Structures are given as C-alpha cells and as structure tokens.
Amino acid sequence: MATASKAVTDSRANLPFVYRQYSAEQLKQVLHKMYLIRRFEEGAEECYTRGLIHGTMHLSIGQEASAMGICMPLAEDDQITSTHRGHGHCIAKGAEVKRMFAEFFGKTTGYCKGRGGSMHIADVGKGNLGANGIVGGGIPIAVGAALSSKMMKTGKVVVSFFGDGANNEGAFHEALNMAAVWKLPVIFVCENNGYGMSTSTARSTAVKNIAERAAAYSMPGVIVNGNIFSEVAEASHQAVARARAGEGPTLIESKTYRHRGHSKSDRNRYRTKEEIEDWMSNRDPITLFESELREFGFIDDKGIEAIRDAVAQEIAEGIEFAKASPSPDISETGNYVYTEQV
C-alpha cells in the first residue's frame, strides 16, 4: 500500500499546483461549482429576457476560474467583499443558488429578503460581507474587516474582489496603503477583464499591469492568467498563507475576460466580434479546466456529463423555488432595510 501511495505521489510531482494539492473529488467539486456559476448566470439571463427579473445585472460568464481559484484556500469563516459583478464570488464562497435566484426575483426567501437584488447579495454566515454597486466600494470594507480580525485575533483572512475600473479610485490607494502600514490579513484581487464599462485599461490606466501598483505600498504584486484555475489557486494559497502568518496584504491581478457586455444594456460596440470569439473559443476557463482534468486522469467524459446534469437539475430547481416563493407584503417593504432599534 505504501508503495502504491508513493507511486501516486511521484506521478503528480510535475503536475500544476492544484493537481498536487487537491484530491480528484475536490477538483470535481471545483468543476461542479464553475458550471454552477455559469449556468446560474445563464439562467438569470434567460429569466431576465422572459420578464421574470427586473432592473439590470452584470454577468461574470467567462470569469469562473478566477472566483473559484481565489476562494479555494479560504475557510468558511474567512471573509470576502464583492462587486456589482459578484455572482461567481457568492457561489464560490458557498451560497445556495436557489436563494440567489429568490433574491433576483425579489422574493422573501432571498439572501436579503428580496431587497438587494443582483448587485447586493450578502451571506454573512458563509463569510460573504456583501456585493457592492459602488466601484471600489468593497475595498475599504475589506480593510476594516481585516483590521477587526487582527485586533480581535480571530485568524480570519479577508479577500476583496474588484474590477480593473476600481484601481483608479482613491479608495483603492488609500486602502492598500493602510493595509500595508498595519500589515493586515487582506488580499486584494483585481479581476482585470480588460474593460471598465466600455473603456479599456490601456486607455484608462498609466501602468501596463495593475499588479505593478503593489510596489508603491510595499506588498507583493502577482499577475496570473485568470482563466487558468491552477494559476489563480496557487497565487491565492500563497497570499492566504502570507496573510495568516502576519506578513500583511497581497495584490493579485487576475487577467480574465467577460463574455457578455458590461450589463444587460451594453450593446458591445467597443469590442470586436473576433476578440470576443477568440476568448470564448480558445480561452474559456471551464473548457481549459476540463481539458486538464481529462489529461491528468482526474475525470472522464462520463464524469463531466454527470456534473453537467447535476448542475442543470440544481438550476431548474432553484428557479422553481424562486418562482414559488412569496413576494414581500407591501406593508413590510421597509423591514430589513434599517437596523432595528434595541
């Protein structure tokens, strides 16, 4: 038995990080969640088209490896702050899709009792301090949570997700400086999908790589291919270990791409069809991860099909749950909006 175990270890020695770090079952669960993120957003998009969801939404289809890779080493009580494009972060941190759908539908069974909608889902029990519609709004909140962790010695690590558009906000620079001065257990994750709304980073940002800005605040700046799950997870593991050891923050730039427009009203006139097709056909994170799992013997086609079927069922049940859930009574619309007086 010992010889067989050593043979398995030796066979994995030259594989990418996650294939040495995690079991086949754990990696299958990652694929399941990546599909869950994508199918959830596709389901939400379809419900929006059918008039079941109102307002707007910002989809992260194409960015699944970034959300999953960053959250992989986090414990349940570690915390995150998210963005207006935060559905993937919620699911990666353990949210139930049925309650997310209910929130989209404005139902009382949603995470925020139907008051928050797409951009404001929070799940404090799983460490999700909430998505935020303000560009860069979650960054100082994460620093505050990390300061709390350090002062109270809870051992919690905090991750702040934000987009490339936020790296030019004052809150970004103030927060990074403060986190570095106090050596806080926080990880700043810039999901650089190339565009802040319709403006490319090449036109809006003076430095070529956003991670270069870490040097100004005396912290590591790490660039990863955000569509390669193993690359993102390895960078996150290192940053989490550094934070837990009391060595302070890290800035990770996850270079990725959103397949859809900025929001449902985006007509996509600032990107070429060729550019979008290239990312969708050749750099899709789920396709890339599946290919590696097959190549390294962690799953076969039958296993992948089983995951797809299970996700499809979970999404269908989630939508039905949301449809069947009660809407808030008009007399209670002010409830759960303000803190109750004690």
Side-chain angles (χ1 to χ4, degrees):
M1 182 64 71
T3 302
S5 177
K6 184 177 184 303
V8 171
T9 302
D10 289 345
S11 68
R12 292 188 179 187
N14 296 319
L15 295 181
F17 172 78
V18 296
Y19 303 101
R20 293 179 273 114
Q21 182 75 16
Y22 296 111
S23 67
E25 196 54 43
Q26 287 173 306
L27 293 173
K28 289 175 185 177
Q29 186 58 33
V30 170
L31 182 61
H32 178 99
K33 280 199 170 186
M34 286 173 70
Y35 264 115
L36 199 61
I37 294 168
R38 180 161 299 186
R39 298 295 182 249
F40 170 82
E41 294 202 309
E42 290 173 347
E45 187 176 38
E46 181 182 354
C47 289
Y48 177 91
T49 302
R50 293 166 57 193
L52 300 173
I53 295 173
H54 304 285
T56 189
M57 64 181 70
H58 305 79
L59 303 177
S60 64
I61 294 172
Q63 301 184 186
E64 296 85 359
S66 183
M68 282 305 303
I70 292 296
C71 290
M72 195 64 186
L74 299 181
E76 186 168 295
D77 61 348
D78 287 332
Q79 298 171 317
I80 67 168
T81 63
S82 186
T83 75
H84 58 284
R85 201 179 308 283
H87 312 144
H89 310 146
C90 294
I91 294 171
K93 197 62 175 68
E96 297 178 77
V97 294
K98 67 178 184 179
R99 292 188 63 192
M100 289 178 66
F101 275 123
E103 186 61 34
F104 276 50
F105 279 55
K107 299 299 186 69
T108 59
T109 52
Y111 274 106
C112 300
K113 311 291 186 183
R115 271 69 168 177
S118 167
M119 287 191 283
H120 303 99
I121 292 175
D123 181 14
V124 178
K126 294 286 187 180
N128 181 357
L129 300 181
N132 201 311
I134 299 171
V135 175
I139 304 175
I141 294 173
V143 170
L147 176 60
S148 174
S149 173
K150 183 170 183 177
M151 293 182 71
M152 298 178 70
K153 297 180 172 58
T154 64
K156 294 179 182 178
V157 168
V158 186
V159 170
S160 177
F161 288 100
F162 54 94
D164 47 277
N167 96 103
N168 292 317
E169 294 286 331
F172 167 85
H173 297 275
E174 294 169 10
L176 265 67
N177 183 64
M178 194 170 286
V181 169
W182 290 338
K183 291 190 180 299
L184 299 182
V186 59
I187 301 156
F188 301 102
V189 180
C190 177
E191 292 184 313
N192 184 355
N193 59 31
Y195 297 90
M197 292 188 72
S198 59
T199 305
S200 71
T201 53
R203 294 176 58 204
S204 67
T205 304
V207 293
K208 182 179 179 181
N209 300 301
I210 292 166
E212 294 172 25
R213 292 189 157 171
Y217 304 106
S218 191
M219 69 178 72
V222 183
I223 301 170
V224 295
N225 182 336
N227 286 18
I228 302 294
F229 170 72
S230 187
E231 278 195 35
V232 182
E234 184 171 12
S236 185
H237 267 266
Q238 292 171 352
V240 167
R242 171 182 163 82
R244 291 204 199 282
E247 296 174 7
T250 300
L251 171 61
I252 298 174
E253 180 181 4
S254 178
K255 290 184 181 287
T256 183
Y257 196 81
R258 52 175 165 80
H259 293 179
R260 301 293 196 270
H262 168 70
S263 67
K264 294 306 297 176
S265 59
D266 187 352
R267 299 177 71 179
N268 252 327
R269 290 180 171 175
Y270 53 90
R271 304 191 295 182
T272 66
K273 291 181 180 179
E274 291 75 19
E275 177 185 301
I276 298 170
E277 182 58 33
D278 175 54
W279 280 91
M280 292 177 66
S281 299
N282 302 318
R283 293 185 261 186
D284 180 85
I286 295 179
T287 302
L288 293 173
F289 186 46
E290 279 184 349
S291 296
E292 286 191 345
L293 288 172
R294 283 196 200 93
E295 179 184 351
F296 302 140
F298 285 84
I299 200 169
D300 56 20
D301 290 341
K302 185 177 179 181
I304 291 173
E305 196 59 40
I307 287 173
R308 291 173 181 168
D309 290 344
V311 167
Q313 181 176 345
E314 189 171 350
I315 295 299
E317 290 174 354
I319 292 173
E320 290 306 312
F321 172 83
K323 286 180 179 178
S325 294
S327 297
D329 188 276
I330 195 167
S331 66
E332 300 177 345
T333 52
N335 293 359
Y336 311 110
V337 177
Y338 299 102
T339 302
E340 294 182 10
Q341 296 292 327
V342 178

